[in-house]
Structure formats: structure tokens, C-alpha cells
Amino acid sequence: QVHLVESGGGLVQAGGSLRLSCAASGRGFSNRVMAWFRQAPGLEREFVAAITWNSVLTQYADAVKDRFTISRDDAKNTVYLQMNSLKPEDTALYYCAAGPWSRDSDLYDSWGQGTQVTVSS
């Protein structure tokens, strides 16, 4: 299993930007699909973005497409989520996860503890 630690969350005004980082340790990071999910209070965890092990493919939820960018640096065992034009509805606890090429959170087997993103209006 891969051990994951997120960072970079915080409080930002609407229209602002944040970059989340997810540092991985353990074996197998470089050949795993990495993804970001988020969960707002009272709501289910939802898919945000994913990237394949060789960065060839990415996919995004419709709600964040054209605003968020996922990337990874396998030399640093780190995956990033650049979030621009943030909206209050982006407020959530953001999780990094390792798993298959899927939007189904149940299929991911490694999770970080989450980092809070709060967007004020």
C-alpha cells in the first residue's frame, strides 16, 4: 500500500487559487493511478480528478473541468491539484487516493487524511 499525506489546503476568497500536494511513501506510487476526491459536510465523497501512472491520461469532474489541473512528479512521489477560479461550492475536505482508473471511490485502496479547502464568497 501507498501512504499518502495531503497539504496545501486553506481559506481563500472566491476567484482565488490554491495548490494541493499529496506526498506518497511506500512502494508502487509510480505505477498507480492517483486521484483527488472531495467531501463537503452532509454530502457523499465525490470524484474530482485522476491521472494515470505515466501522466498520459487525466480526467476531471464536470464541476471542476477547465478550473482544476491534476499533475504528478514521480521523481518526488508527489501528485498536485492546482485549483483556480475557486467557488464557494468547492469548499470541502480534499482527499488524495491511489487506485485503478475509475471515478468510484470504493475501488481506491489507499487514502490520505484529507486537507480542508474553504472558499469564502
Side-chain angles (χ1 to χ4, degrees):
Q1 251 188 352
V2 179
H3 180 64
L4 304 171
V5 178
E6 302 96 334
S7 61
L11 173 64
V12 63
Q13 288 188 330
S17 298
L18 282 175
R19 188 176 82 154
L20 306 183
S21 298
C22 174
S25 59
R27 303 179 68 179
F29 170 80
S30 61
N31 62 4
R32 302 295 302 277
V33 169
M34 298 299 298
W36 289 93
F37 290 81
R38 67 186 183 185
Q39 187 168 20
L43 299 179
E44 293 188 354
R45 189 172 299 185
E46 65 174 357
F47 172 80
V48 176
I51 187 167
T52 54
W53 65 272
N54 53 5
S55 301
V56 169
L57 295 177
T58 58
Q59 60 174 314
Y60 297 90
D62 288 344
V64 307
K65 197 175 296 184
D66 299 326
R67 298 188 298 120
F68 291 9
T69 302
I70 188 171
S71 63
R72 64 191 292 167
D73 185 339
D74 288 342
K76 295 182 178 180
N77 280 8
T78 302
V79 63
Y80 304 97
L81 185 68
Q82 177 66 44
M83 306 185 295
N84 299 327
S85 302
L86 282 160
K87 305 175 180 180
E89 52 264 43
D90 294 318
T91 295
L93 190 60
Y94 283 70
Y95 296 91
C96 174
W101 185 242
S102 172
R103 297 185 176 213
D104 185 350
S105 62
D106 289 340
L107 300 181
Y108 284 73
D109 57 9
S110 297
W111 291 86
Q113 82 289 348
T115 185
Q116 178 67 38
V117 172
T118 303
V119 184
S120 63
S121 58

